[in-house]
Amino acid sequence: MLAAHLLVGALLFALGLVGFVTRRNLIIIFLCTEMMFQGIILNLVAFGRYPLEGPPTFDGQVFSLFLIAVAAAEAALGLALVVLLYRHRGTLDAGAWTTLRDE
Amino acid sequence: MPILLILMLVLGAVGLFLALPGGRADLSRLGLLVLAIGAALLVAGLTQQLAGEPGQALFAGCSLVALLAALRVVTHRKPVYSALYFVLLVVAVSILLVRMQAEFVFGALLIVYAGAILVTYLFVIMLAQQARPAPYDTRSREPLWGCLAGFVLLTQVAAYVYRRPASEQAAVLPRVGGDAILNVATPLLTHYVVGLEIVGVLLLAALVGAIAIARRPAATADEGED
């Protein structure tokens, strides 16, 4: 029921988080954010299908449709930036871009 | 919160630490094995909670496939394989959505994610392909702290989810009748119509921005650097 779906969603989100902080390839980092979106979509739909009170609603599904659109926009912009950065330095290593870091 | 769940999360964190590239190179296969066992046990435990609801086997199979694919996305050393495992993850998640009567989101997820977004990812990965595995793919950054952060987050979420006894949690509800598309389209086009318009504007802005960024020649991007 609700708890099982929430836990699967949380697992996907946590795996995406771990990948986001540990992997160094820019493209894999973006893939991991998309994985977190998958967990969230699962949670939203599960909350709509198994509400704590009242009948099932479809608002969660509407929210996940918005989320898909935002993810598409993010992927388009993010990948354009990654291509630009790759042409710039010839590497996908996130560690090669530390000029904005506070030393 | 069940103690077994905590044990499985610990198992998962240790396995993930071993399996991450560069964590412990020789032990990555052992880590994957530990992760697979942990995921299977966890899914078996979760499926038991679904007792009395149809589609139990579907939930078990799809969530197991989704978790294993997600693990491979995070741990695989070759980006192309990570992207392909992500396609598998999207397919498994969308089948889980069908089980929850979200047929339209299922179609949208498959078409937009597996169809459009992942193909773009594959194009970019192939554009930036290296002859041999790059050092940034074979060594991960601080795998210990990353796994620890994920574990702490998960235990917090799990403790919150399971703070109510199972009997108080949402009951099994019957399927909602009516047309699958109409059920989603009605709130989308009435109650959330302003949001829909804003999302349209957002997509247009992202399109313009992506073209503006990608068309920028590398030479001018270098100005003001070094």
Side-chain angles (χ1 to χ4, degrees):
Chain A
M1 283 181 289
L2 181 63
H5 288 98
L6 292 189
L7 207 64
V8 173
L11 277 166
L12 289 183
F13 189 92
L15 277 174
L17 181 83
V18 172
F20 186 83
V21 295
T22 56
R23 295 303 300 263
R24 295 164 67 205
N25 189 326
L26 281 171
I27 295 176
I28 304 288
I29 291 175
F30 267 106
L31 263 185
C32 287
T33 60
E34 306 285 345
M35 201 152 88
M36 291 194 255
F37 278 134
Q38 299 291 315
I40 296 166
I41 287 173
L42 200 57
N43 267 11
L44 284 174
V45 175
F47 271 123
R49 181 70 182 86
Y50 307 105
L52 288 175
E53 51 195 27
T57 62
F58 288 85
D59 293 359
Q61 298 190 21
V62 175
F63 274 44
S64 54
L65 286 177
F66 286 148
L67 198 62
I68 292 172
V70 172
E74 178 243 342
L77 277 178
L79 285 177
L81 280 172
V82 167
V83 169
L84 188 72
L85 294 181
Y86 181 73
R87 279 195 305 190
H88 217 297
R89 292 262 165 103
T91 174
L92 287 174
D93 189 357
W97 295 92
T98 53
T99 44
L100 284 180
R101 185 161 71 184
D102 192 17
E103 293 293 339
Chain B
M1 176 178 174
I3 191 85
L4 269 177
L5 185 62
I6 301 182
L7 280 180
M8 274 176 243
L9 293 183
V10 172
L11 200 67
V14 173
L16 190 58
F17 172 66
L18 294 178
L20 273 174
R24 292 282 174 274
D26 315 332
L27 296 176
S28 65
R29 282 187 186 281
L30 177 71
L32 282 177
L33 190 68
V34 170
L35 282 173
I37 293 171
L41 288 176
L42 189 70
V43 168
L46 288 181
T47 311
Q48 290 218 319
Q49 296 174 5
L50 292 173
E53 199 179 350
Q56 239 180 313
L58 197 63
F59 174 81
C62 287
S63 47
L64 187 61
V65 169
L67 287 182
L68 292 181
L71 288 170
R72 287 310 271 157
V73 172
V74 175
T75 57
H76 210 289
R77 284 169 173 72
K78 291 181 181 160
V80 178
Y81 285 86
S82 284
L84 292 177
Y85 273 113
F86 191 83
V87 177
L88 185 62
L89 166 72
V90 172
V91 171
V93 167
S94 52
I95 293 174
L96 278 180
L97 296 185
V98 172
R99 229 195 111 263
M100 290 189 284
Q101 232 196 331
E103 288 89 355
F104 185 73
V105 183
F106 157 80
L109 203 65
L110 271 189
I111 293 171
V112 175
Y113 259 101
I117 296 183
L118 256 295
V119 170
T120 323
Y121 271 96
L122 280 176
F123 271 129
V124 173
I125 289 172
M126 286 170 185
L127 200 69
Q129 186 116 53
Q130 312 273 347
R132 61 178 66 183
Y136 49 82
D137 279 329
T138 52
R139 272 193 316 117
S140 47
R141 189 194 314 139
E142 304 282 358
L144 180 62
W145 290 108
C147 291
L148 208 60
F151 172 73
V152 169
L153 176 77
L154 259 183
T155 44
Q156 293 300 311
V157 171
Y160 192 72
V161 167
Y162 284 103
R163 78 192 191 291
R164 290 157 167 254
S167 56
E168 275 181 41
Q169 288 188 357
V172 182
L173 293 164
R175 283 181 67 86
V176 180
D179 189 52
I181 307 288
L182 206 61
N183 283 337
V184 186
T186 309
L188 184 66
L189 293 176
T190 53
H191 199 236
Y192 296 108
V193 69
V194 178
L196 188 69
E197 299 290 333
I198 292 174
V199 165
V201 175
L202 177 77
L203 276 177
L204 180 68
L207 175 74
V208 173
I211 293 173
I213 292 170
R215 276 177 56 91
R216 211 169 155 199
T220 57
D222 272 322
E223 284 172 14
E225 266 274 324
D226 301 328

